[in-house]
Amino acid sequence: MYTHEKDIRTQGKPLSETGKALILIHGRGATAASILPLAQELGADGFTRFAPQATNNTWYPYSFMAPADQNQPALDSALELIDETVQGILAQGIASKEIYLAGFSQGACLTSEYASRHARRYGGLLIFTGGLIGEELNAANYKGNFEGTPVLITIGDPDSHVPVSRVDETVKQLESMGAKVTRKVYPGRPHTILDEEIELGKKILAS
């Protein structure tokens, strides 16, 4: 088991010029460099982009639906690295409502888990094929209020890693905390991000 070294890639103009941040969280086996181009697809040229890099390219070793302790300490370390990224942005005078988080697959699971443990008014959350982490959801982990934060959560049916039932549990939890959730299920879609999902994500970033 491992903890994550602090390695956060940045792209775009400084926060002092853009006033808004997009944090991109890569999937298992991928890299910060490989997810940064997603920002261009989402039309986020006017954002300062941040992409934390997982040590060994994996945020936690087992399925996101494994018993939580099996993924420790890697999972807690991953959540800490995302929090360091967010706190670093807030420390530069950027309001949380100008911070957007986006992730794919394992990165989408981390996006939903981090945001639900630190719920506040974010600019938006883009959860591309993911859901809250754990064999069973532990409501005691989730704190705060999203205050109407727009959330996009998408999934293929079936998906090889993420069951639709967990997406639905995640939607219910997020909505109970004040998020405004758009849920999209794509029958037969492979484990990828479709153009339609990109277009829906663009609308959240443009709002």
Side-chain angles (χ1 to χ4, degrees):
M1 288 295 203
Y2 51 86
T3 55
H4 297 280
E5 296 171 15
K6 186 175 181 180
D7 183 1
I8 303 166
R9 311 296 166 90
T10 59
Q11 196 178 68
K13 293 178 179 176
L15 282 169
S16 58
E17 293 183 38
T18 65
K20 53 189 178 178
L22 173 61
I23 301 170
L24 298 140
I25 306 173
H26 69 75
R28 186 188 297 270
T31 63
S34 72
I35 199 165
L36 278 167
L38 179 62
Q40 273 71 47
E41 293 183 55
L42 289 166
D45 290 345
F47 290 69
T48 308
R49 283 92 70 191
F50 298 82
Q53 171 65 49
T55 298
N56 302 327
N57 299 344
T58 299
W59 292 110
Y60 45 85
Y62 299 107
S63 164
F64 83 114
M65 292 184 71
D69 58 349
Q70 288 187 12
N71 278 316
Q72 297 296 7
L75 174 58
D76 279 353
S77 178
L79 292 166
E80 283 171 20
L81 181 55
I82 298 167
D83 193 48
E84 281 190 54
T85 309
V86 170
Q87 294 302 329
I89 294 164
L90 292 169
Q92 293 186 58
I94 304 300
S96 66
K97 69 177 196 283
E98 303 296 344
I99 299 175
Y100 297 70
L101 293 98
F104 172 65
S105 192
Q106 197 181 52
C109 296
L110 269 184
T111 298
S112 59
E113 187 72 19
Y114 172 78
S116 298
R117 292 182 183 217
H118 304 270
R120 49 173 78 113
R121 181 55 163 93
Y122 294 100
L125 308 177
L126 307 182
I127 302 168
F128 295 117
T129 307
L132 290 165
I133 296 172
E135 185 175 31
E136 303 286 336
L137 298 190
N138 180 3
N141 286 336
Y142 311 130
K143 297 177 176 66
N145 190 305
F146 284 114
E147 298 173 32
T149 295
V151 177
L152 173 66
I153 185 165
T154 62
I155 185 69
D157 183 17
D159 182 84
S160 51
H161 301 285
V162 182
V164 174
S165 59
R166 177 50 58 90
V167 169
D168 290 340
E169 287 180 278
T170 301
V171 170
K172 186 176 178 182
Q173 180 64 43
L174 295 173
E175 287 181 338
S176 77
M177 299 172 74
K180 189 176 177 184
V181 182
T182 300
R183 166 192 175 274
K184 291 290 182 180
V185 178
Y186 298 96
R189 189 209 68 183
H191 194 69
T192 187
I193 303 175
L194 300 176
D195 289 344
E196 183 187 323
E197 296 169 72
I198 295 290
E199 290 304 314
L200 291 168
K202 275 184 179 176
K203 289 178 182 174
I204 289 178
L205 265 59
S207 65

